[in-house]
Amino acid sequence: MDLPPAIIEAAANIDWGQVSQAVEDYEPVIRVVQQTWSHESLVDILNGSIAVPDSVINDALTERLTGEDRNITSVAIASHENGRIEIKATTKSIGRIELSGYIEEMVHNQNNTYITYRVKERALKDHGLGSWFFSRLSLSMVQNLFGKIVLSDDLPTKIDGNRVTVDFRQTLEKSDLAATQLHGHRLLDMFSIESATPHEGYITFKTKVDLPDDIKQMIINAVIR
C-alpha cells in the first residue's frame, strides 16, 4: 500500500538523528527505574503516595543491617493503625531488644535523607535487672553507659534523648538513582518523600516528583513488565 504524499513528506522532514539521541538519553533512566520499582509502585509514587508492606521493609532491613560481620543478627518492624511502630532486633552483644514508638519525621529531598524515630517503650528481653534499667533510662544515657550504637559505617545514627535519627544520605549517594541523570538532574533528586504514616501492616509514604507530566507518562509507559 502506498503512503499518502503528506506522510512521506513529514517523514522526510523528521530529524532522525535527534530522535535517536532522545531515545539514547532516556534509555539509562528507564533501565534504572525498571530495576528500582515495579510499574504499580512507580504509578503510586508519581501520584503522590505509596504504601509499603512491613514485609518489604523487613526484607530490606535484614539485607542491609544483618550479616556475619554485623552486631545485629535479626531485625523486624511491625506497623500499627495507631501510628506506633514496634522494632524487634537480636544482637550479638546484648541479645534481644524491643522498641515501641513512632516516626517523628521522614525526609528525602535534594539536601537531606533521614528518619527520626521517637522511642516510647523499650526492653532488653535477655536481661532481668538490666531490662528494668534500660526501660527507664533514655537511649542517649544507655549509649553513654554501654557504648555508641552503630548500624553501619554509611548509616550515621544520632541519639538525642529517646529520639533516634538515621541518616540514609551516604547509602543513597552510592545508588544507581544518584548516578543517573535526566536533563542534567539526578534521578535521586527528582523524587522526594515528605512524610511517613504507619498503618496496620504497612507504612504510607507521601511522595513528590519533580518531573513534567509528559516525562512522567513516558516513564510509566516504559516500566511495564
Side-chain angles (χ1 to χ4, degrees):
M1 182 179 68
D2 294 334
L3 293 174
I7 294 181
I8 295 175
E9 182 180 356
N13 292 329
I14 293 175
D15 187 339
W16 293 106
Q18 288 187 357
V19 172
S20 176
Q21 184 62 48
V23 172
E24 186 176 330
D25 289 343
Y26 286 122
E27 192 279 331
V29 174
I30 300 302
R31 175 177 52 79
V32 170
V33 171
Q34 285 178 328
Q35 293 172 350
T36 306
W37 298 290
S38 67
H39 178 259
E40 293 77 12
S41 295
L42 181 62
V43 170
D44 288 342
I45 290 171
L46 294 176
N47 286 334
S49 178
I50 181 171
V52 182
D54 288 352
S55 59
V56 173
I57 297 173
N58 287 333
D59 287 345
L61 289 175
T62 298
E63 180 179 357
R64 187 68 185 78
L65 299 180
T66 66
E68 292 184 2
D69 59 339
R70 301 289 181 86
N71 181 44
I72 299 174
T73 59
S74 68
V75 59
I77 73 161
S79 307
H80 298 288
E81 192 64 41
N82 62 4
R84 285 294 186 101
I85 295 180
E86 297 173 355
I87 302 175
K88 295 183 179 181
T90 302
T91 68
K92 297 175 183 177
S93 56
I94 56 176
R96 293 176 297 161
I97 302 173
E98 293 186 1
L99 306 174
S100 178
Y102 58 89
I103 296 174
E104 278 196 344
E105 196 173 13
M106 175 74 204
V107 172
H108 167 62
N109 53 42
Q110 293 187 26
N111 301 312
N112 299 292
T113 304
Y114 64 87
I115 184 170
T116 298
Y117 177 70
R118 174 69 179 270
V119 177
K120 301 298 290 185
E121 285 91 33
R122 50 216 173 272
L124 293 175
K125 303 303 292 183
D126 299 321
H127 301 270
L129 184 59
S131 183
W132 186 88
F133 282 109
F134 182 75
S135 66
R136 284 156 176 79
L137 295 174
S138 69
L139 287 182
S140 57
M141 181 62 71
V142 170
Q143 184 173 243
N144 290 337
L145 292 174
F146 297 101
K148 187 176 181 180
I149 296 174
V150 178
L151 297 179
S152 68
D153 292 339
D154 56 357
L155 285 175
T157 303
K158 178 183 177 182
I159 297 179
D160 181 12
N162 286 316
R163 289 181 175 87
V164 181
T165 300
V166 182
D167 190 330
F168 297 93
R169 196 68 189 184
Q170 292 183 35
T171 298
L172 288 179
E173 289 291 345
K174 302 174 183 177
S175 69
D176 288 339
L177 288 175
T180 306
Q181 294 192 359
L182 177 63
H183 297 319
H185 301 282
R186 301 190 308 170
L187 284 183
L188 178 63
D189 298 329
M190 293 180 176
F191 296 83
S192 61
I193 298 175
E194 299 179 339
S195 65
T197 304
H199 304 275
E200 197 66 36
Y202 67 97
I203 299 176
T204 299
F205 296 89
K206 184 179 179 182
T207 60
K208 184 178 180 181
V209 181
D210 186 18
L211 287 172
D213 289 340
D214 59 335
I215 302 299
K216 289 182 183 179
Q217 193 58 53
M218 182 204 69
I219 294 176
I220 288 175
N221 292 340
V223 187
I224 297 178
R225 299 173 179 177

